[in-house]
Amino acid sequence: MTESVDVVVVGAGVIGLAVARRLARDGLSVVVVLEREDAIGTQTSSRNSEIIHAGIYYPSGSLKARMCVAGRELLYRYCADHDVAHRRTGKLIVATDTDQLAALDGIAQRARENGVDDLRRIGRTELAEMEPEVCGVAALWSPSTGIVDAHGLMGALRRDAEQAGAVISLRSDVTGGRVRPDGRIELTVRDIGAIVCATVVNCAGLGAWGLARSLTGFPAERVPLRHLAKGSYFGLRAGRAPFERLIYPVPVDGGLGVHLTVDLDGIARFGPDVEWVAHAEHVVDPARADAFYAAIRRYWPGLPDDALQPDFAGVRPKLTGPGEPAADFLVQGPTDHGVAGVVNLFGIESPGLTSCLALAAHVAATIDRDRLR
């Protein structure tokens, strides 16, 4: 059996759901989301710190910077309008010794270039007043950073998308496809058959690379290299930490360092670290706790012995590997690869959750509406 639709979005993580919502609300008549798992958002979208980022770290003018700063405000507004649990906790980026002060200055300068105008440098005394248990010589205070219930957000996006006419199809594994002579895209879906569409938006996350390579007629040389960075998280056995705000160290290679986050119930966890891996798996190695104790005690020397327990792990899809500068988001449309009707999203890691609504608008702008007529 062959079905024919306007747009297929592959992947029902937070980006795929946001894209489907945007396209359906834009009036595209048939938008179908294909998700191979039996629930939405089971991979990268639900295995992260659930932070609403301010837009501090990313190179000026980059897609990450632009999508994060715009997406942050869109997301706060969306959560308020749709009763998605969230909170503006604020965060502190802590320099634990004077050698890191120059790095704080660089972060502050980049934030200003990105349009983050509420970041403030504080000294040792004010830091101690804000968070007495934190040890540092100075910090950057970001009041616009927050936390969000990622599952609640994805549920709201799904409801919006379906109310606008989109169809979410779970247990629908796309095993391959081809660009047909008439220019339409034919996808092969396990246990369903063929689906023909004018446009396919590849939001498959960790699977985006494999999906692009499986499309006959798509140039293999336009599929970038994929690197996987596993991030493990540890929780406190006691559950709560003596902090009111998110606590971040100065960033490290491949990530933002082992930071303290709290969820909306006040439960504390630490992570992620960075472990470059060949394959995606989500088991937390308890032996990594030793490195966590050392990292955390740089800013929280009062962390008790035997206080940490393995929590969960996530795997970030990256375009660059260890020792390389972090790559930008890659939203790859027909003008980039030459195949009409194909939009690929590669390397959508942090701040992807924060950027989901802004990225959805960006993707919508790349779609050729004339193909849908």
Side-chain angles (χ1 to χ4, degrees), residues 104-344:
L104 281 192
D105 291 338
I107 293 169
Q109 176 61 33
R110 181 168 288 182
R112 287 190 292 270
E113 293 171 353
N114 290 344
V116 181
D117 56 9
D118 60 355
L119 201 65
R120 183 167 65 87
R121 173 83 168 259
I122 64 174
R124 188 194 301 266
T125 300
E126 189 172 358
L127 175 60
E129 290 172 350
M130 293 177 73
E131 295 290 356
E133 295 289 329
V134 171
C135 179
V137 298
L140 294 174
W141 165 238
S142 171
S144 56
T145 301
I147 55 176
V148 63
D149 174 5
H151 289 88
L153 172 61
M154 288 187 285
L157 291 170
R158 177 182 184 172
R159 288 190 294 274
D160 267 4
E162 290 178 329
Q163 287 171 4
V167 176
I168 315 295
S169 180
L170 303 176
R171 296 180 292 278
S172 299
D173 185 15
V174 180
T175 59
R178 67 186 180 103
V179 181
R180 301 196 326 179
D182 63 3
R184 293 175 69 82
I185 313 300
E186 181 178 313
L187 301 174
T188 304
V189 185
R190 193 185 310 277
D191 298 330
I192 293 179
I195 294 182
V196 176
C197 60
T199 298
V200 58
V201 184
N202 177 5
C203 297
L206 294 167
W209 286 258
L211 175 60
R213 290 193 183 96
S214 75
L215 293 178
T216 301
F218 186 86
E221 67 275 10
R222 303 305 299 168
V223 182
L225 293 176
R226 186 185 76 163
H227 303 268
L228 301 180
K230 178 181 174 182
S232 294
Y233 292 81
F234 281 77
L236 284 176
R237 295 187 190 280
R240 294 181 179 271
F243 305 105
E244 296 183 9
R245 303 159 183 86
L246 310 181
I247 311 296
Y248 276 60
V250 172
V252 299
D253 176 36
L256 299 181
V258 174
H259 48 264
L260 163 74
T261 66
V262 293
D263 64 18
L264 290 158
D265 295 320
I267 304 301
R269 62 174 56 93
F270 297 89
D273 61 355
V274 179
E275 179 186 1
W276 297 98
V277 296
H279 306 286
E281 55 88 13
H282 300 108
V283 177
V284 178
D285 179 1
R288 300 188 74 80
D290 290 343
F292 271 71
Y293 280 107
I296 296 164
R297 283 173 173 156
R298 292 190 184 102
Y299 57 83
W300 183 24
L303 174 66
D305 291 338
D306 199 33
L308 300 179
Q309 61 185 0
D311 196 334
F312 70 94
V315 178
R316 283 161 279 175
K318 287 180 168 287
L319 293 166
T320 50
E324 298 177 319
D328 201 0
F329 291 153
L330 177 56
V331 178
Q332 190 189 65
T335 58
D336 303 303
H337 52 60
V339 180
V342 176
V343 180
N344 292 314

Side-chain angles (χ1 to χ4, degrees), residues 16-27 31 33 40 74 77-79 81-84 152-168 357:
L17 292 169
V19 168
R21 169 188 176 271
R22 176 59 186 254
L23 296 180
R25 287 167 63 91
D26 278 357
V31 178
V33 181
I40 63 173
L74 290 172
R77 193 176 312 128
Y78 183 85
C79 289
D81 291 345
H82 292 77
D83 295 322
V84 176
L153 172 61
M154 288 187 285
L157 291 170
R158 177 182 184 172
R159 288 190 294 274
D160 267 4
E162 290 178 329
Q163 287 171 4
V167 176
I168 315 295
L357 295 172

Side-chain angles (χ1 to χ4, degrees), residues 10-11 15 43-44 202-210 226 317 345-348:
V10 182
I15 304 300
Q43 299 297 315
T44 308
N202 177 5
C203 297
L206 294 167
W209 286 258
R226 186 185 76 163
L345 281 75
F346 295 119
I348 310 299

Side-chain angles (χ1 to χ4, degrees), residues 45-103:
S45 296
S46 60
R47 294 178 172 275
N48 59 68
S49 302
E50 296 186 302
I51 304 298
I52 301 177
H53 288 285
I56 294 168
Y57 303 98
Y58 318 109
S60 177
S62 67
L63 196 57
K64 281 185 177 180
R66 292 185 285 117
M67 295 296 100
C68 186
V69 172
R72 176 194 71 201
E73 295 309 312
L74 290 172
L75 186 55
Y76 275 127
R77 193 176 312 128
Y78 183 85
C79 289
D81 291 345
H82 292 77
D83 295 322
V84 176
H86 68 290
R87 187 165 70 248
R88 290 185 189 248
T89 56
K91 84 172 177 184
L92 290 162
I93 306 170
V94 179
T96 56
D97 58 57
T98 55
D99 291 342
Q100 295 179 333
L101 293 178

